[in-house]
Amino acid sequence: MEKNIVTHNYRINREVRRKSYGHDTFLIFFTGLSGSGKSTIANVLEQKLFSEGIKTYVLDGDNVRRGINRGLTFSPEDRSENIRRIGEISKLFIDAGIVILAAFVAPYKKDRQHI
């Protein structure tokens, strides 16, 4: 399978976007218990950053589970897969020059460290 996958390097990359947008790009990962205010804090921070001209996007656990992670359960394996996918989605947004605010329940230390 690996031999069929080719990495393409484009001229418009993270560094070009960073210079154009005037800010760096990164992930802020909010984690905690359900109902602890992760999404609320991410929303308030996004409003502040956005008002300062910073390109942002919030990835919220409930919203992501309604789409790309719809088929996942709350088993330990699926919880880990949920967070792994969030990490991959975040990498794409980071490459696109967006500051990501991710609000998720992530009960396993190994998954948080992976992100």
Side-chain angles (χ1 to χ4, degrees), residues 27-93:
L27 166 67
I28 299 174
F29 191 69
F30 298 92
T31 186
L33 298 174
S34 182
S36 64
K38 300 175 297 298
S39 297
T40 301
I41 294 168
N43 185 36
V44 170
L45 179 57
E46 181 181 39
Q47 291 173 55
K48 174 69 173 153
L49 294 172
F50 190 83
S51 74
E52 294 181 13
I54 296 173
K55 294 173 180 6
T56 61
Y57 195 81
V58 174
L59 290 172
D60 175 80
D62 290 335
N63 293 346
V64 172
R65 278 192 178 269
R66 286 188 179 97
I68 196 164
N69 290 347
R70 178 180 36 220
L72 298 178
T73 68
F74 291 93
S75 71
E77 298 79 20
D78 280 0
R79 284 182 180 272
S80 290
E81 178 60 15
N82 182 50
I83 297 304
R84 187 196 70 77
R85 289 181 189 181
I86 295 314
E88 293 299 321
I89 293 167
S90 295
K91 285 185 345 187
L92 293 171
F93 273 94

